[in-house]
Amino acid sequence: MTIRRPTRAPGRADTATQRPAAPPAPVGRRRLAELTGSWRAALRIARRESRRARRRTALVLAMIAMPVAALAFLAASYDMAELTPQERLDRRLGVADAQLQWISNGPVGQDEWGEGWYTRDGELPAKVTAVQLTALLGPGSRVTEVRPRVPLTLRGPHRDEVVNARVLDLTDPLARGLVRFRAGRAPQQAGEVAVSPVALRRLDLRLGHAVAAADGSRAYTVVGVVEFPDDLGPVVALHPGAAPSTGPEPDSVWLADVPGTVDAALVSRLNDRGVVVTARHLGSATGADRRWLGSIMGDNPNDLSTGVLIAGLGLLEVVLLVGPAFAVGVRRRRRDLALVAVAGGDAAQLRRVVLADGVVLGLLGAAAGLLVGVAAAFAGRPLMEQYVFSARFGGYRCWPSALVLLGGVAVLAGVLAALAPAWTAARQDVSAGLAGRRTPAKSPGRWLALGLALVVGGAGLAAFGATRTSPAVVLTGLILGELGLVCCTPTLLGVLARLGRVLPLAPRIALRDASRNRAAAAPAICAVMAAVASSVALGGYLASDDARDERAYRPALPTGHVMVNPVGPAGQPTLAQITDAARNQLGVGAVAPVQTPSCGAGRTGYCDIAPVLPPTRACPWQPGVQLPAAQRQQARTDPRCQIREADYFGGYVEPGVDDGTALPLLTGVDAATTAAATAVLRAGGVVVTDPRYLHDGLVTVRISEVEAGPDRPITVHDLPGYALPRATGPSRLLLSTAAARQLGLSWSQTGWVIGTTTPPDEEQQARFAAVLRPFGTLALSVENGGAPRDVSPLLLLLAAAAGLITVGAAGIATALAAAEGRAELTTLAAVGAAPAVRRLLAICQAGVIAGIGSVLGIVAGLGTAAIVLVSVNRQYASAWPASDPYPFLMPWPALGVLVLVPVVAMLGAGLFTRSRLPIERRLD
């Protein structure tokens, strides 16, 4: 075929086929377009993959959504509980125009909300009346008084109940706006009260029932049930006639109704008279008064950094739990990823494909968690109001900025969990991926070196933080140490797999699979290790701190003994009545009166009666003074200064007057010592419980009157004395009646001491108090013989949390391994393996994950606790007065639970695994 070109005149250019070329796009714009297109394709692939692998997607979504839902619930609940300025005004004022508080008889300054104020000069004014306030406000004004905190003790069905009483006139519309009536009416006279629902249940009352004060002074009739929005606890509303004001009331406030508005001029005039004003129409009340995270974490930067590090530990735990699912997903998609590489995709594009899974699942998990958390916060709002905050919330809101932050953290967790599988996918052999072969697992030596360096550096940083008493630095060291163990775990798996050759079939296969699938097994083991290490480290520190507190505890009485003291100026029971009640209700009859000396009638100052140390026995250095290192060392070696820190700072000696009757009940000494001390008291001497005060058979007693004026001299007397060799309780000085008269002292009965063999329980105490209730209000103090703290429940709670994570991680890893190893199970079935092999293999796989993780976690946790305790003890080694060191104790409750957790994980894996081996159908 012949092609003819069109003819053209000679000398003319051919312009029909020439077009101007478009200028090339800028390099930056072209790269941005390529990056956008690559991410768009990767996100489409990730969305398609999430639909295909629905079980794996649901697993990842659940692990990401659960912590997000919990934090969203807390954020929304906190936001609703944190009232805006307008809501606080409405709660404080009700229907009133202003709230007034007369705090000084001189000028005061305040903020615009009346929540902060300061006095310039003046003192608390005398009794304030409504007439005085209305005169300041002007004609047409009206006020009513509210006293928000008045202590009140009422008789309950089983014991006396302490409630918060508020004195206000609920028949006045101004005060009525502060409450919500649930039933009944407002109290109209002094003998009527309105109670909150909690007080109604606790006191077992109904409308129309009577309730009496604990001292029996008067009784009240319940006529209404009211709710105070700012206090949902046991509250009683009293009529003003039931508790008339007798003098200045610092907490008393007045609700005011004025004809016009409360302007700045009126506020200034009231401030000049010493009145603080909270007005409805001052300032702008639109924004919420929240200081971001500072309102939760406090103003201390250390608290904020500690909270951030704890959140980082939680994020690391989520990443380690989610990581195996992404690793298994990458292995199952290795052919698809190899096809992407064959089609021209580079390593960066392969990483984007895997990271897109983390982005998509992180977004979905964040959305699900936020929706569930906010919905649960709205639905559970009444329960949170009643049982957690004990106050009504403000409007329905959810703290959007915090939710956005939580969503971002959830996406970050998904991306971090997919980061290691993404790097693995970018480095896989394309030929092996196309053929469906495994790529041999490798653990480069540099990761082991990096891990060991992080472990050593983290331990050193934790020790440094312990010496500086900085929790943030200790947590940073703990995080670095855990990251180091994460880097070392793949190498450890390889070593254990080589040692597994001598094991039977099932555990050998389990170790081999864990070594081959290190990308999935290592994060699961590290998740278990991190949870167990944190639990053991914190448990070890708490156990040591509890033992240290118990060692430093100074009992007030011998174990089981009871001190009874009258409360208030009401009548007191007699010794016979106390003895009868103790014999009938507590089963004992050893009762003695406790008498306290004073400087005598007509004295106005505080009477200080104390023994004096001889100059040769007094320590030359005073505690609380910053001493140089050399003097501190001398004080620590000086025999006169060998006293514990708790004893040195608690140097008060409690004086008393006794003839030997109360001595054994107060000190717990034996009969021979009691007889010797009683003989000295009856001879006109004194008894001390600290032998240092006794010199040459004498005790020097000093009497001084504090704040009694310069004309009151200090008197010192030497009296015959006796020192108890071993006494329980605080340091005491017991004077005989003859010695007290010689010193010019008087004494009075201030209580009774009851000797028992075992501490009475709450029911016995309630019965004892009920029997003595007609004789007056009494306070009971029971000596239980130890520090009132038991950390065992907290240790068990920490261990349970770590155990739950362990079982979850083992279950996830076992399920993923079973899904990945289906072909190998088919091979086992083909060669004649028994059906029980599959269940035994699942048990061993769970045991590998839970066992290795628990062992590593226990070792790491004990090591962390030891480093912290040794560092703290070294910090106190040169201090004076010497403090008790922290003993290193094993948290046995936590360790016992954590040792059983791998067994539970293995049994669970065996229970939920089918014994039947899969058999693939042969294709003809």
Side-chain angles (χ1 to χ4, degrees), residues 150-329:
V150 177
L152 179 64
T153 304
L154 300 176
R155 292 183 180 178
H158 305 292
R159 61 178 63 88
D160 294 343
E161 299 287 349
V162 178
V163 299
N164 180 25
R166 300 191 178 188
V167 180
L168 71 169
D169 186 6
L170 291 178
T171 60
D172 193 321
L174 290 178
R176 192 182 182 93
L178 299 178
V179 303
R180 300 172 183 173
F181 269 88
R182 295 293 187 88
R185 59 175 177 83
Q188 299 178 355
Q189 54 186 356
E192 296 178 345
V193 295
V195 299
S196 66
V198 174
L200 198 72
R201 292 191 300 268
R202 186 172 296 182
L203 297 171
D204 194 17
L205 297 173
R206 297 292 184 273
L207 287 178
H209 286 192
V211 59
D215 57 2
S217 58
R218 64 184 310 163
Y220 306 96
T221 302
V222 179
V223 298
V225 179
V226 297
E227 176 187 285
F228 290 88
D230 61 334
D231 188 356
L232 300 182
V235 184
V236 175
L238 297 175
H239 189 272
S245 177
T246 57
E249 297 286 347
D251 297 331
S252 179
V253 297
W254 297 78
L255 299 178
D257 179 23
V258 298
T261 60
V262 181
D263 53 11
L266 178 58
V267 173
S268 178
R269 187 170 71 250
L270 292 173
N271 288 162
D272 292 339
R273 299 296 300 272
V275 180
V276 177
V277 183
T278 301
R280 187 182 302 277
H281 303 291
L282 290 179
S284 174
T286 56
D289 185 16
R290 190 192 299 115
R291 293 174 293 172
W292 188 235
L293 292 177
S295 57
I296 298 179
M297 304 306 301
D299 297 329
N300 192 349
N302 291 329
D303 295 338
L304 180 59
S305 59
T306 302
V308 171
L309 290 173
I310 292 176
L313 279 174
L315 178 63
L316 175 63
E317 194 70 28
V318 173
V319 169
L320 294 175
L321 287 173
V322 177
F326 285 105
V328 170

Side-chain angles (χ1 to χ4, degrees), residues 16 19 69-70 235 280 317 332 350 408 501 533 663 768 784-785 895 909:
R19 291 185 179 181
V235 184
R280 187 182 302 277
E317 194 70 28
R332 301 189 70 174
L350 291 176
R501 298 173 182 175
L663 185 145
F768 179 77
N784 294 307
L895 292 181

Side-chain angles (χ1 to χ4, degrees), residues 65-81 369-385 388-389 393 397-399 403 406:
M66 283 191 295
V68 171
L71 294 175
F73 174 83
L74 295 177
S77 298
Y78 171 78
D79 194 26
M80 291 186 290
L370 293 178
L371 288 176
V372 172
V374 173
F378 287 171
R381 171 174 167 149
L383 298 177
M384 294 291 291
E385 291 175 338
V388 178
F389 290 89
F393 290 173
R397 45 185 177 265
C398 58
W399 200 350
L403 298 186
L406 288 177

Side-chain angles (χ1 to χ4, degrees), residues 49 82 126 169 219 221 247 271 281 297 317 336 369 400 617 620 628 637 697 699 758 770 818 854:
E49 184 63 23
E82 187 73 9
D169 186 6
T221 302
N271 288 162
H281 303 291
M297 304 306 301
E317 194 70 28
D336 295 339
R617 298 180 183 177
T637 58
V699 174
T758 57
S854 297

Side-chain angles (χ1 to χ4, degrees), residues 542-601:
L542 290 176
S544 301
D545 186 60
D546 183 62
R548 182 174 181 263
D549 290 344
E550 185 176 358
R551 183 184 303 173
Y553 178 74
R554 293 287 300 272
L557 295 169
T559 302
H561 290 201
V562 181
M563 179 68 72
V564 182
N565 298 105
V567 178
Q572 299 181 8
T574 62
L575 178 61
Q577 293 169 340
I578 294 285
T579 304
D580 291 341
R583 183 182 299 109
N584 297 329
Q585 306 303 328
L586 305 181
V588 295
V591 182
V594 177
Q595 303 181 94
T596 303
S598 61
C599 286

Side-chain angles (χ1 to χ4, degrees), residues 313 317 475 478 482 526-544 791-806 853-854 856-866 889-899 901:
L313 279 174
E317 194 70 28
L475 282 175
L478 180 61
E482 289 185 359
C526 293
V528 175
M529 177 199 65
V532 173
S534 301
S535 174
V536 172
L538 187 57
Y541 177 79
L542 290 176
S544 301
V791 298
S792 297
L794 182 57
L795 295 180
L796 292 176
L797 181 62
L798 292 173
L804 182 63
I805 294 177
T806 301
S854 297
L856 290 177
I858 290 175
V859 172
L862 292 178
T864 302
L889 298 179
M890 301 290 285
W892 291 115
L895 292 181
V897 173
L898 294 175
V899 168
V901 164

